[in-house]
Amino acid sequence: MARRGAQFWVLGLVAMAALAGCASRGVVAERPVNEASEPYQLDSGDKLRVTVFGQADLSGDFAVDGGGNIAIPLIPPVQARGLTTNELQAAIADALGKTLLRNPNVSVQVMEFRPFFILGEVQKAGQYPFVNGMTVQSAVAIAGGFSYRADQDTVHVTRKQGDKLIEMDVDTGAPVRPGDTILVGERYF
């Protein structure tokens, strides 16, 4: 009789655990969407809209070239690499103020971010356009998904930050930044 009572007790615990597992729907993980709210730094491949108010001939869309500069008419190339949009606005206004205009009012907007790269165990490795709010998981989806050999838990990301390259292993929920190189490794078994 005691043995039968123990069996019912164990069976009851198993049933409660199963029910608890079924009832635990909802938030799986919670994390902030943005990394540390560091300002975006411009680099080669970014496409910018520069507006010089009252000067249509000086305004337009410009790409940051391989040397990190943008070429605006009538002034020397302006270094954009490593600057924020606010810092670039000030640099352009300074250059225009020295040569052409008195108190120029300049606005800079990023129209298109530089692409990100994804390599390794994905269906279509390559270069893809960056989309705001992108995570490693959405980057893998853009590349056609994981291959059957992919390590789907951790990926390797290489990121340029200032004049340094930072390499890190992250999970698939980690945010992607423009210019990142994502390497999806192969699982061991």
Side-chain angles (χ1 to χ4, degrees):
M1 186 79 156
R3 183 173 165 203
R4 187 172 230 179
Q7 288 175 341
F8 282 127
W9 186 75
V10 169
L11 191 60
L13 282 177
V14 169
M16 286 191 320
L19 288 174
C22 292
S24 67
R25 296 180 192 227
V27 177
V28 176
E30 188 174 326
R31 69 183 77 159
V33 174
N34 293 332
E35 290 181 326
S37 58
E38 57 189 51
Y40 179 68
Q41 292 184 339
L42 301 169
D43 206 345
S44 299
D46 287 329
K47 293 190 171 79
L48 310 172
R49 174 161 295 146
V50 177
T51 305
V52 181
F53 295 100
Q55 302 295 323
D57 293 341
L58 298 175
S59 301
D61 293 347
F62 303 94
V64 180
D65 65 19
N69 300 312
I70 61 169
I72 297 174
L74 304 176
I75 61 173
V78 178
Q79 179 70 29
R81 177 176 287 145
L83 299 180
T84 65
T85 54
N86 289 338
E87 292 168 338
L88 182 59
Q89 285 173 186
I92 294 170
D94 184 53
L96 288 169
K98 287 179 180 176
T99 57
L100 297 174
L101 304 172
R102 187 176 301 159
N103 297 326
N105 192 354
V106 179
S107 171
V108 175
Q109 295 174 303
V110 178
M111 299 307 293
E112 190 176 313
F113 293 99
R114 59 189 174 272
F116 73 94
F117 304 87
I118 188 162
L119 308 167
E121 296 299 325
V122 292
Q123 299 298 325
K124 298 178 207 159
Q127 170 184 319
Y128 294 95
F130 176 80
V131 179
N132 268 332
M134 179 177 286
T135 63
V136 170
Q137 189 173 29
S138 57
V140 167
I142 289 171
F146 289 111
S147 72
Y148 70 93
R149 294 183 301 246
D151 177 1
Q152 297 183 21
D153 295 327
T154 305
V155 297
H156 189 78
V157 174
T158 304
R159 177 173 296 157
K160 186 175 180 185
Q161 205 163 22
D163 59 350
K164 298 177 186 171
L165 280 178
I166 298 172
E167 297 186 13
M168 58 194 141
D169 289 329
V170 299
D171 66 10
T172 57
V176 173
R177 298 203 44 141
D180 280 359
T181 300
I182 302 166
L183 176 62
V184 178
E186 188 175 343
R187 62 184 155 89
Y188 292 111
F189 51 91

